[in-house]
Amino acid sequence: MSTERIRNFCIIAHIDHGKSTLADRLLEKTNTITSREFRNQMLDDMDLERERGITIKASAVALKLVCDGKEYNLNLIDTPGHVDFSYEVSRSLGACEGVLLLVDASQGVEAQTVANAYLAMEHNLAVIPVISKIDLPQSRPYEVLAEMEKTLGIDTEDALMVSSKTGKGIDEIFDAVIKRIPPPKGNPNAPLKSLIFDSVYDEYRGVIVYLRIFDGTVKVGDEIYMMKTNRSFKVEEVGIFKPKMVAKDYLSAGEVGYCIANIKSIRDVKVGDTVTHYKERTAEPLPGYRPPMPMVYCGIYPTNNTDFHPLREALERLSLNDSSFTFEPETSQALGFGFRCGFLGLLHMEIVQERLERESNINIVQTAPNVTYEILKINKEVIKVDNPEKVPPVNEIEEFREPMVRASFILPAEYVGVIMQLAEARRGKYKSTEYLSEKRAILIYELPLAEIIFDFFDKMKSATRGYGTLDYDFIGYEAADLVKLDILVSGKQVDALSTIAHRQDADIKGRKLVKKLKNEISRHLFEVVLQAAIGSRIIARETIRPIAKNVTAKCYGGDITRKRKLLEKQKEGKKRMKSIGNVEIPQKAFLSVLSTDE
Amino acid sequence: MKFKKDLPPNALYVHIPFCARKCNYCDFNSVVSGTKTIDLYLSALESELSALKGQYVFKTVFIGGGTPSVLTETQLEKLLCAVIRCISVSEVQEYTVEANPGTLTANKIRLLKEYGVNRISLGVQSFQDRQLKFLGRIHSGDDARKNFILLRQAGFENINIDLMFGCPDQSLDDWENDLETAVELNPEHISAYALTYEEGTLLTKNLNNGVISKLDECIELDMYKTVIDYLTHNGYNHYEISNFAKPGCECSHNLVYWNNMGYVGAGAGAVSSIDGARTSNENDIIRYVNGIGEGKNIKSFGEHLPDDQFASETVIMSLRLRQGISNADFYKRFGYKIEDQFGDQINRLIGDGLICYDNERLKLTEKGLFIADTVMTEFV
């Protein structure tokens, strides 16, 4: 097929602006799926995605459409909307020539709208502005168009108005995709040049590689070569997504599809790599992607030390489908053998943890997340610290540096004050305010990443009644007055409970922390003393009273079974705890460092 | 070695699941029912009991509830008749009936005596009306005293008094007063239970709704220590976590449970443990009655524990006894020593001062007694 009849496009939007619903309508309208197969959010594959109403993984689907008597192949590549996954958005964009920039007619321009639109512009893609949810009574499409012009500097004269609910405007979308997004360039007769824009691992078929073909063709039996990993494979199957995989004889220039080639390990596949033919190679690889940088780290340990290997296997399985998640073995005095895991953000961390528990049957203890710090030592050596335990002694530190982000808030003007207060309290540095309209503003702050990864997002949401949005970019490391805050349980320092805090907040944080731990740790036969310390200075102390009386008063013939079961249950609960010395610490306690509210 | 868990059961428990009113703290199988239901129930119970005849030699009989004394005189006589027909009177050494003040009459007491009952367990709980009202009891402290005297006058020489401590606004003084009154009456046996908030009771509901709050644990512990000191000084032997007896007046029937020996239960919800298999009758009175009438299986639950679990349960139950568990007895029964199964735990608990050896008996120390449940978890 000539590339003239192919269009590759993405829908980009802020979370909840109706991306997945619009994708559903496009699938229905083109009869890509029968209504019998239909379920909401077709493209969200994982249960977790559908449950949380967010898209995590990009996915692709081929739509067939007849326009002016000609048949077109449209490839729609879905993208995630959450700030944690902007990396995945850029992957999808690399496989497209154009985007539908979707903006909710009542919510207006929001932080990820801006971030994603800029990404699309960086990729030189055709941008079609689309106002969604115009059926809602509170919609204000023309104000939103003005906001788009003001923030993004794009021409909104040809913006489309749609309602995925009523179906209004859907036909115009197809028209615009065909007429306003250029067909892919590329030569089907040139040597194969294709981009891996995603990959998933299938237990039975091995790695399924998502490909966008730029030049040449690929067919079953071809010997393909991955230019970055230097690996070659024999193609077993190629095909397209409808959205289930449908095999085809070949994929050629301009097309989007999948390729199965008996690839056993996801490590042999690098997203962003260029796939060419083994014998007849393309001269230049595609630019590929900047590898994702984990922003947040935490320790994941098996509750039961014998589960170390099963945990490693489970993490490996998970990483097969999520190349942006990293893990490395580490040891903790308190928790034994486990892994230091890196995530794109807090949501990403939650998702990985949830999948880990769902898909494997291992009880895990997770430590509080932290960012990566940079430390300039007296001997001028610069080290990266992704675990508070690795902070060198104070006398070896010349400068303690933390990662900074440039955060942009887009919010109704009336909330500018509260967000400024929130940002200032988190050691934010004010940069600028810009008004999109009378009612909406963009507020720019520079903030320490550590201050926003915990509960900042929720705080911002509730302070703005859900109307505020946030996007951020890493801008570099900056020196700060940071200290390592240690927790001692009955005099013993628990490495897994250490955190890094700003000196001015350390005392309050330490006090709150031991108070929280007091509630999390149940009473023992002996008094348990909890202390927070900076170096050798104790800054807070709480004690947990020993159990005074714990004895069942009545136990006769009819009670024996019940009593035994009760004791069994208590014993089972104990298994899920970690013993530090002789103190049993429940899993939740390790996370109490997370939120420091009362 | 052949594993021998149990001698044939020699204890019979008969359940009367009726009360004049459900107490606020009670989660036992008991209901308030009309005379007609009670009559039907007693007939069914009679059938169940008659089927036991000749199968076992019972040394102890315990009729509990509910409130057996809530039965009318006619019903009570019917019950006592049914029991006496299935046991060999000459073998029975201890025959207990539970009674609540407020439901006992002189005639009922006479009937109990006539049919060979030789031990009465009187549900006094407290002699103070404020406490009784809180617990939802139907009688006054005075009723309890009067009933006790009536029982003595009728010639009962083995009487137990149930007492309860740890009510939310009970003071240590209140508790001491109850103990003094009890000791003045001079019963042979006293059971002193800490108030327990059981699932599904009115008290627990009130607790969860914040209507009442639990007594401070330290005060409750003081009350427990007080009862142990006071009764021990007054000639009672503290022989089980909540039970005190004059020498030789320990309840033989309940000792069967605490030694995890076999017993037979009759009536709705009654549990039997025969040769290591534990079964429970249907709890629901109507289903129980119909089941018996139709000759159907009335068991609603059964378990046969693996040997090691049965041994573990035996250790746990026996640790309730102040004298603990005899290693020799354990060996005779299970064919190995307690340490073979629980060596690590025992060493650790001895190290923590929670259990100790008294000759060859393993028992809770005083420190261990107060946190017995925590200690027992180690033996699960």
Side-chain angles (χ1 to χ4, degrees), chain B residues 274-294:
Chain B
I274 302 169
D275 202 19
R278 196 171 293 127
T279 57
S280 169
N281 284 353
E282 180 60 65
N283 252 313
D284 183 83
I285 292 164
I286 303 301
R287 275 204 294 260
Y288 168 78
V289 169
N290 292 342
I292 295 269
E294 293 159 18

mmCIF file with all atom_site columns, all heavy atoms in Angstrom, chain B residues 274-294:
data_model
loop_
_atom_site.group_PDB
_atom_site.id
_atom_site.type_symbol
_atom_site.label_atom_id
_atom_site.label_alt_id
_atom_site.label_comp_id
_atom_site.label_asym_id
_atom_site.label_entity_id
_atom_site.label_seq_id
_atom_site.pdbx_PDB_ins_code
_atom_site.Cartn_x
_atom_site.Cartn_y
_atom_site.Cartn_z
_atom_site.occupancy
_atom_site.B_iso_or_equiv
_atom_site.pdbx_formal_charge
_atom_site.auth_seq_id
_atom_site.auth_comp_id
_atom_site.auth_asym_id
_atom_site.auth_atom_id
_atom_site.pdbx_PDB_model_num
ATOM 1   N N   . ILE B 1 274 ? -14.434 -36.396 70.578 1.00 0.00 ? 274 ILE B N   1
ATOM 2   C CA  . ILE B 1 274 ? -14.344 -37.832 70.807 1.00 0.00 ? 274 ILE B CA  1
ATOM 3   C C   . ILE B 1 274 ? -13.198 -38.392 69.990 1.00 0.00 ? 274 ILE B C   1
ATOM 4   O O   . ILE B 1 274 ? -13.167 -38.246 68.765 1.00 0.00 ? 274 ILE B O   1
ATOM 5   C CB  . ILE B 1 274 ? -15.683 -38.524 70.432 1.00 0.00 ? 274 ILE B CB  1
ATOM 6   C CG1 . ILE B 1 274 ? -16.823 -37.914 71.267 1.00 0.00 ? 274 ILE B CG1 1
ATOM 7   C CG2 . ILE B 1 274 ? -15.591 -40.035 70.658 1.00 0.00 ? 274 ILE B CG2 1
ATOM 8   C CD1 . ILE B 1 274 ? -18.210 -38.315 70.796 1.00 0.00 ? 274 ILE B CD1 1
ATOM 9   N N   . ASP B 1 275 ? -12.225 -38.957 70.675 1.00 0.00 ? 275 ASP B N   1
ATOM 10  C CA  . ASP B 1 275 ? -11.054 -39.544 70.031 1.00 0.00 ? 275 ASP B CA  1
ATOM 11  C C   . ASP B 1 275 ? -10.399 -38.573 69.045 1.00 0.00 ? 275 ASP B C   1
ATOM 12  O O   . ASP B 1 275 ? -10.070 -38.934 67.914 1.00 0.00 ? 275 ASP B O   1
ATOM 13  C CB  . ASP B 1 275 ? -11.452 -40.847 69.318 1.00 0.00 ? 275 ASP B CB  1
ATOM 14  C CG  . ASP B 1 275 ? -10.218 -41.729 69.117 1.00 0.00 ? 275 ASP B CG  1
ATOM 15  O OD1 . ASP B 1 275 ? -9.210  -41.506 69.829 1.00 0.00 ? 275 ASP B OD1 1
ATOM 16  O OD2 . ASP B 1 275 ? -10.251 -42.604 68.243 1.00 0.00 ? 275 ASP B OD2 1
ATOM 17  N N   . GLY B 1 276 ? -10.239 -37.359 69.493 1.00 0.00 ? 276 GLY B N   1
ATOM 18  C CA  . GLY B 1 276 ? -9.525  -36.380 68.675 1.00 0.00 ? 276 GLY B CA  1
ATOM 19  C C   . GLY B 1 276 ? -10.358 -35.701 67.603 1.00 0.00 ? 276 GLY B C   1
ATOM 20  O O   . GLY B 1 276 ? -9.873  -34.814 66.917 1.00 0.00 ? 276 GLY B O   1
ATOM 21  N N   . ALA B 1 277 ? -11.613 -36.118 67.452 1.00 0.00 ? 277 ALA B N   1
ATOM 22  C CA  . ALA B 1 277 ? -12.464 -35.476 66.451 1.00 0.00 ? 277 ALA B CA  1
ATOM 23  C C   . ALA B 1 277 ? -13.432 -34.545 67.166 1.00 0.00 ? 277 ALA B C   1
ATOM 24  O O   . ALA B 1 277 ? -14.085 -34.938 68.118 1.00 0.00 ? 277 ALA B O   1
ATOM 25  C CB  . ALA B 1 277 ? -13.241 -36.522 65.674 1.00 0.00 ? 277 ALA B CB  1
ATOM 26  N N   . ARG B 1 278 ? -13.481 -33.310 66.712 1.00 0.00 ? 278 ARG B N   1
ATOM 27  C CA  . ARG B 1 278 ? -14.382 -32.368 67.361 1.00 0.00 ? 278 ARG B CA  1
ATOM 28  C C   . ARG B 1 278 ? -15.536 -32.047 66.424 1.00 0.00 ? 278 ARG B C   1
ATOM 29  O O   . ARG B 1 278 ? -15.323 -31.775 65.240 1.00 0.00 ? 278 ARG B O   1
ATOM 30  C CB  . ARG B 1 278 ? -13.631 -31.094 67.741 1.00 0.00 ? 278 ARG B CB  1
ATOM 31  C CG  . ARG B 1 278 ? -14.406 -30.250 68.746 1.00 0.00 ? 278 ARG B CG  1
ATOM 32  C CD  . ARG B 1 278 ? -13.578 -29.108 69.300 1.00 0.00 ? 278 ARG B CD  1
ATOM 33  N NE  . ARG B 1 278 ? -12.483 -29.576 70.117 1.00 0.00 ? 278 ARG B NE  1
ATOM 34  C CZ  . ARG B 1 278 ? -11.220 -29.212 69.934 1.00 0.00 ? 278 ARG B CZ  1
ATOM 35  N NH1 . ARG B 1 278 ? -10.904 -28.416 68.958 1.00 0.00 ? 278 ARG B NH1 1
ATOM 36  N NH2 . ARG B 1 278 ? -10.277 -29.669 70.708 1.00 0.00 ? 278 ARG B NH2 1
ATOM 37  N N   . THR B 1 279 ? -16.752 -32.143 66.960 1.00 0.00 ? 279 THR B N   1
ATOM 38  C CA  . THR B 1 279 ? -17.938 -31.840 66.153 1.00 0.00 ? 279 THR B CA  1
ATOM 39  C C   . THR B 1 279 ? -18.820 -30.891 66.934 1.00 0.00 ? 279 THR B C   1
ATOM 40  O O   . THR B 1 279 ? -18.742 -30.809 68.152 1.00 0.00 ? 279 THR B O   1
ATOM 41  C CB  . THR B 1 279 ? -18.754 -33.106 65.841 1.00 0.00 ? 279 THR B CB  1
ATOM 42  O OG1 . THR B 1 279 ? -19.111 -33.729 67.084 1.00 0.00 ? 279 THR B OG1 1
ATOM 43  C CG2 . THR B 1 279 ? -17.991 -34.082 64.976 1.00 0.00 ? 279 THR B CG2 1
ATOM 44  N N   . SER B 1 280 ? -19.664 -30.199 66.177 1.00 0.00 ? 280 SER B N   1
ATOM 45  C CA  . SER B 1 280 ? -20.588 -29.283 66.838 1.00 0.00 ? 280 SER B CA  1
ATOM 46  C C   . SER B 1 280 ? -21.985 -29.513 66.289 1.00 0.00 ? 280 SER B C   1
ATOM 47  O O   . SER B 1 280 ? -22.169 -29.689 65.086 1.00 0.00 ? 280 SER B O   1
ATOM 48  C CB  . SER B 1 280 ? -20.127 -27.854 66.575 1.00 0.00 ? 280 SER B CB  1
ATOM 49  O OG  . SER B 1 280 ? -21.124 -26.956 66.972 1.00 0.00 ? 280 SER B OG  1
ATOM 50  N N   . ASN B 1 281 ? -22.965 -29.505 67.180 1.00 0.00 ? 281 ASN B N   1
ATOM 51  C CA  . ASN B 1 281 ? -24.355 -29.636 66.745 1.00 0.00 ? 281 ASN B CA  1
ATOM 52  C C   . ASN B 1 281 ? -24.822 -28.333 66.106 1.00 0.00 ? 281 ASN B C   1
ATOM 53  O O   . ASN B 1 281 ? -24.281 -27.261 66.369 1.00 0.00 ? 281 ASN B O   1
ATOM 54  C CB  . ASN B 1 281 ? -25.268 -29.919 67.945 1.00 0.00 ? 281 ASN B CB  1
ATOM 55  C CG  . ASN B 1 281 ? -25.156 -31.362 68.410 1.00 0.00 ? 281 ASN B CG  1
ATOM 56  O OD1 . ASN B 1 281 ? -24.499 -32.176 67.774 1.00 0.00 ? 281 ASN B OD1 1
ATOM 57  N ND2 . ASN B 1 281 ? -25.803 -31.667 69.531 1.00 0.00 ? 281 ASN B ND2 1
ATOM 58  N N   . GLU B 1 282 ? -25.840 -28.464 65.323 1.00 0.00 ? 282 GLU B N   1
ATOM 59  C CA  . GLU B 1 282 ? -26.536 -27.329 64.727 1.00 0.00 ? 282 GLU B CA  1
ATOM 60  C C   . GLU B 1 282 ? -26.862 -26.295 65.815 1.00 0.00 ? 282 GLU B C   1
ATOM 61  O O   . GLU B 1 282 ? -27.398 -26.630 66.861 1.00 0.00 ? 282 GLU B O   1
ATOM 62  C CB  . GLU B 1 282 ? -27.829 -27.881 64.108 1.00 0.00 ? 282 GLU B CB  1
ATOM 63  C CG  . GLU B 1 282 ? -28.698 -26.886 63.452 1.00 0.00 ? 282 GLU B CG  1
ATOM 64  C CD  . GLU B 1 282 ? -28.008 -26.172 62.319 1.00 0.00 ? 282 GLU B CD  1
ATOM 65  O OE1 . GLU B 1 282 ? -27.676 -26.833 61.309 1.00 0.00 ? 282 GLU B OE1 1
ATOM 66  O OE2 . GLU B 1 282 ? -27.794 -24.962 62.462 1.00 0.00 ? 282 GLU B OE2 1
ATOM 67  N N   . ASN B 1 283 ? -26.508 -25.037 65.543 1.00 0.00 ? 283 ASN B N   1
ATOM 68  C CA  . ASN B 1 283 ? -26.747 -23.962 66.510 1.00 0.00 ? 283 ASN B CA  1
ATOM 69  C C   . ASN B 1 283 ? -28.201 -23.540 66.599 1.00 0.00 ? 283 ASN B C   1
ATOM 70  O O   . ASN B 1 283 ? -28.713 -23.246 67.658 1.00 0.00 ? 283 ASN B O   1
ATOM 71  C CB  . ASN B 1 283 ? -25.955 -22.723 66.068 1.00 0.00 ? 283 ASN B CB  1
ATOM 72  C CG  . ASN B 1 283 ? -24.782 -22.464 66.970 1.00 0.00 ? 283 ASN B CG  1
ATOM 73  O OD1 . ASN B 1 283 ? -24.913 -22.496 68.191 1.00 0.00 ? 283 ASN B OD1 1
ATOM 74  N ND2 . ASN B 1 283 ? -23.628 -22.239 66.374 1.00 0.00 ? 283 ASN B ND2 1
ATOM 75  N N   . ASP B 1 284 ? -28.833 -23.503 65.435 1.00 0.00 ? 284 ASP B N   1
ATOM 76  C CA  . ASP B 1 284 ? -30.191 -22.987 65.357 1.00 0.00 ? 284 ASP B CA  1
ATOM 77  C C   . ASP B 1 284 ? -31.174 -23.971 65.998 1.00 0.00 ? 284 ASP B C   1
ATOM 78  O O   . ASP B 1 284 ? -31.189 -25.158 65.663 1.00 0.00 ? 284 ASP B O   1
ATOM 79  C CB  . ASP B 1 284 ? -30.546 -22.770 63.881 1.00 0.00 ? 284 ASP B CB  1
ATOM 80  C CG  . ASP B 1 284 ? -31.913 -22.177 63.725 1.00 0.00 ? 284 ASP B CG  1
ATOM 81  O OD1 . ASP B 1 284 ? -32.024 -20.956 63.851 1.00 0.00 ? 284 ASP B OD1 1
ATOM 82  O OD2 . ASP B 1 284 ? -32.872 -22.952 63.504 1.00 0.00 ? 284 ASP B OD2 1
ATOM 83  N N   . ILE B 1 285 ? -31.957 -23.455 66.921 1.00 0.00 ? 285 ILE B N   1
ATOM 84  C CA  . ILE B 1 285 ? -32.843 -24.330 67.696 1.00 0.00 ? 285 ILE B CA  1
ATOM 85  C C   . ILE B 1 285 ? -33.841 -25.073 66.814 1.00 0.00 ? 285 ILE B C   1
ATOM 86  O O   . ILE B 1 285 ? -34.043 -26.285 66.952 1.00 0.00 ? 285 ILE B O   1
ATOM 87  C CB  . ILE B 1 285 ? -33.565 -23.506 68.784 1.00 0.00 ? 285 ILE B CB  1
ATOM 88  C CG1 . ILE B 1 285 ? -32.534 -23.058 69.823 1.00 0.00 ? 285 ILE B CG1 1
ATOM 89  C CG2 . ILE B 1 285 ? -34.668 -24.317 69.458 1.00 0.00 ? 285 ILE B CG2 1
ATOM 90  C CD1 . ILE B 1 285 ? -33.013 -21.962 70.722 1.00 0.00 ? 285 ILE B CD1 1
ATOM 91  N N   . ILE B 1 286 ? -34.465 -24.353 65.897 1.00 0.00 ? 286 ILE B N   1
ATOM 92  C CA  . ILE B 1 286 ? -35.473 -24.983 65.041 1.00 0.00 ? 286 ILE B CA  1
ATOM 93  C C   . ILE B 1 286 ? -34.843 -26.063 64.156 1.00 0.00 ? 286 ILE B C   1
ATOM 94  O O   . ILE B 1 286 ? -35.353 -27.171 64.015 1.00 0.00 ? 286 ILE B O   1
ATOM 95  C CB  . ILE B 1 286 ? -36.197 -23.923 64.159 1.00 0.00 ? 286 ILE B CB  1
ATOM 96  C CG1 . ILE B 1 286 ? -36.829 -22.839 65.047 1.00 0.00 ? 286 ILE B CG1 1
ATOM 97  C CG2 . ILE B 1 286 ? -37.239 -24.579 63.254 1.00 0.00 ? 286 ILE B CG2 1
ATOM 98  C CD1 . ILE B 1 286 ? -37.848 -23.356 66.062 1.00 0.00 ? 286 ILE B CD1 1
ATOM 99  N N   . ARG B 1 287 ? -33.709 -25.736 63.574 1.00 0.00 ? 287 ARG B N   1
ATOM 100 C CA  . ARG B 1 287 ? -33.044 -26.729 62.723 1.00 0.00 ? 287 ARG B CA  1
ATOM 101 C C   . ARG B 1 287 ? -32.588 -27.936 63.537 1.00 0.00 ? 287 ARG B C   1
ATOM 102 O O   . ARG B 1 287 ? -32.641 -29.069 63.072 1.00 0.00 ? 287 ARG B O   1
ATOM 103 C CB  . ARG B 1 287 ? -31.848 -26.096 61.997 1.00 0.00 ? 287 ARG B CB  1
ATOM 104 C CG  . ARG B 1 287 ? -32.237 -25.393 60.711 1.00 0.00 ? 287 ARG B CG  1
ATOM 105 C CD  . ARG B 1 287 ? -31.044 -25.308 59.769 1.00 0.00 ? 287 ARG B CD  1
ATOM 106 N NE  . ARG B 1 287 ? -30.001 -24.439 60.320 1.00 0.00 ? 287 ARG B NE  1
ATOM 107 C CZ  . ARG B 1 287 ? -29.825 -23.177 59.948 1.00 0.00 ? 287 ARG B CZ  1
ATOM 108 N NH1 . ARG B 1 287 ? -30.568 -22.652 59.031 1.00 0.00 ? 287 ARG B NH1 1
ATOM 109 N NH2 . ARG B 1 287 ? -28.856 -22.453 60.495 1.00 0.00 ? 287 ARG B NH2 1
ATOM 110 N N   . TYR B 1 288 ? -32.161 -27.658 64.763 1.00 0.00 ? 288 TYR B N   1
ATOM 111 C CA  . TYR B 1 288 ? -31.758 -28.743 65.650 1.00 0.00 ? 288 TYR B CA  1
ATOM 112 C C   . TYR B 1 288 ? -32.958 -29.647 65.940 1.00 0.00 ? 288 TYR B C   1
ATOM 113 O O   . TYR B 1 288 ? -32.885 -30.874 65.786 1.00 0.00 ? 288 TYR B O   1
ATOM 114 C CB  . TYR B 1 288 ? -31.169 -28.166 66.948 1.00 0.00 ? 288 TYR B CB  1
ATOM 115 C CG  . TYR B 1 288 ? -30.979 -29.192 68.061 1.00 0.00 ? 288 TYR B CG  1
ATOM 116 C CD1 . TYR B 1 288 ? -29.896 -30.071 68.052 1.00 0.00 ? 288 TYR B CD1 1
ATOM 117 C CD2 . TYR B 1 288 ? -31.911 -29.302 69.101 1.00 0.00 ? 288 TYR B CD2 1
ATOM 118 C CE1 . TYR B 1 288 ? -29.732 -31.016 69.053 1.00 0.00 ? 288 TYR B CE1 1
ATOM 119 C CE2 . TYR B 1 288 ? -31.757 -30.240 70.112 1.00 0.00 ? 288 TYR B CE2 1
ATOM 120 C CZ  . TYR B 1 288 ? -30.668 -31.096 70.078 1.00 0.00 ? 288 TYR B CZ  1
ATOM 121 O OH  . TYR B 1 288 ? -30.516 -32.039 71.070 1.00 0.00 ? 288 TYR B OH  1
ATOM 122 N N   . VAL B 1 289 ? -34.059 -29.012 66.328 1.00 0.00 ? 289 VAL B N   1
ATOM 123 C CA  . VAL B 1 289 ? -35.269 -29.770 66.675 1.00 0.00 ? 289 VAL B CA  1
ATOM 124 C C   . VAL B 1 289 ? -35.754 -30.584 65.466 1.00 0.00 ? 289 VAL B C   1
ATOM 125 O O   . VAL B 1 289 ? -36.005 -31.791 65.568 1.00 0.00 ? 289 VAL B O   1
ATOM 126 C CB  . VAL B 1 289 ? -36.388 -28.820 67.171 1.00 0.00 ? 289 VAL B CB  1
ATOM 127 C CG1 . VAL B 1 289 ? -37.730 -29.546 67.268 1.00 0.00 ? 289 VAL B CG1 1
ATOM 128 C CG2 . VAL B 1 289 ? -36.008 -28.217 68.511 1.00 0.00 ? 289 VAL B CG2 1
ATOM 129 N N   . ASN B 1 290 ? -35.825 -29.932 64.311 1.00 0.00 ? 290 ASN B N   1
ATOM 130 C CA  . ASN B 1 290 ? -36.294 -30.631 63.101 1.00 0.00 ? 290 ASN B CA  1
ATOM 131 C C   . ASN B 1 290 ? -35.343 -31.743 62.696 1.00 0.00 ? 290 ASN B C   1
ATOM 132 O O   . ASN B 1 290 ? -35.774 -32.829 62.297 1.00 0.00 ? 290 ASN B O   1
ATOM 133 C CB  . ASN B 1 290 ? -36.452 -29.644 61.941 1.00 0.00 ? 290 ASN B CB  1
ATOM 134 C CG  . ASN B 1 290 ? -37.602 -28.681 62.191 1.00 0.00 ? 290 ASN B CG  1
ATOM 135 O OD1 . ASN B 1 290 ? -38.472 -28.948 63.049 1.00 0.00 ? 290 ASN B OD1 1
ATOM 136 N ND2 . ASN B 1 290 ? -37.606 -27.571 61.486 1.00 0.00 ? 290 ASN B ND2 1
ATOM 137 N N   . GLY B 1 291 ? -34.057 -31.448 62.803 1.00 0.00 ? 291 GLY B N   1
ATOM 138 C CA  . GLY B 1 291 ? -33.059 -32.453 62.440 1.00 0.00 ? 291 GLY B CA  1
ATOM 139 C C   . GLY B 1 291 ? -33.216 -33.711 63.268 1.00 0.00 ? 291 GLY B C   1
ATOM 140 O O   . GLY B 1 291 ? -33.202 -34.833 62.749 1.00 0.00 ? 291 GLY B O   1
ATOM 141 N N   . ILE B 1 292 ? -33.363 -33.524 64.580 1.00 0.00 ? 292 ILE B N   1
ATOM 142 C CA  . ILE B 1 292 ? -33.540 -34.686 65.466 1.00 0.00 ? 292 ILE B CA  1
ATOM 143 C C   . ILE B 1 292 ? -34.825 -35.415 65.096 1.00 0.00 ? 292 ILE B C   1
ATOM 144 O O   . ILE B 1 292 ? -34.852 -36.649 64.973 1.00 0.00 ? 292 ILE B O   1
ATOM 145 C CB  . ILE B 1 292 ? -33.604 -34.226 66.949 1.00 0.00 ? 292 ILE B CB  1
ATOM 146 C CG1 . ILE B 1 292 ? -32.270 -33.627 67.384 1.00 0.00 ? 292 ILE B CG1 1
ATOM 147 C CG2 . ILE B 1 292 ? -34.052 -35.361 67.858 1.00 0.00 ? 292 ILE B CG2 1
ATOM 148 C CD1 . ILE B 1 292 ? -31.270 -34.551 67.997 1.00 0.00 ? 292 ILE B CD1 1
ATOM 149 N N   . GLY B 1 293 ? -35.901 -34.629 64.874 1.00 0.00 ? 293 GLY B N   1
ATOM 150 C CA  . GLY B 1 293 ? -37.209 -35.215 64.549 1.00 0.00 ? 293 GLY B CA  1
ATOM 151 C C   . GLY B 1 293 ? -37.150 -36.061 63.298 1.00 0.00 ? 293 GLY B C   1
ATOM 152 O O   . GLY B 1 293 ? -37.760 -37.133 63.217 1.00 0.00 ? 293 GLY B O   1
ATOM 153 N N   . GLU B 1 294 ? -36.372 -35.587 62.305 1.00 0.00 ? 294 GLU B N   1
ATOM 154 C CA  . GLU B 1 294 ? -36.308 -36.309 61.029 1.00 0.00 ? 294 GLU B CA  1
ATOM 155 C C   . GLU B 1 294 ? -35.170 -37.319 61.007 1.00 0.00 ? 294 GLU B C   1
ATOM 156 O O   . GLU B 1 294 ? -34.902 -37.926 59.961 1.00 0.00 ? 294 GLU B O   1
ATOM 157 C CB  . GLU B 1 294 ? -36.125 -35.300 59.877 1.00 0.00 ? 294 GLU B CB  1
ATOM 158 C CG  . GLU B 1 294 ? -37.348 -34.405 59.693 1.00 0.00 ? 294 GLU B CG  1
ATOM 159 C CD  . GLU B 1 294 ? -36.997 -33.112 58.957 1.00 0.00 ? 294 GLU B CD  1
ATOM 160 O OE1 . GLU B 1 294 ? -35.933 -33.055 58.303 1.00 0.00 ? 294 GLU B OE1 1
ATOM 161 O OE2 . GLU B 1 294 ? -37.795 -32.163 59.062 1.00 0.00 ? 294 GLU B OE2 1
#
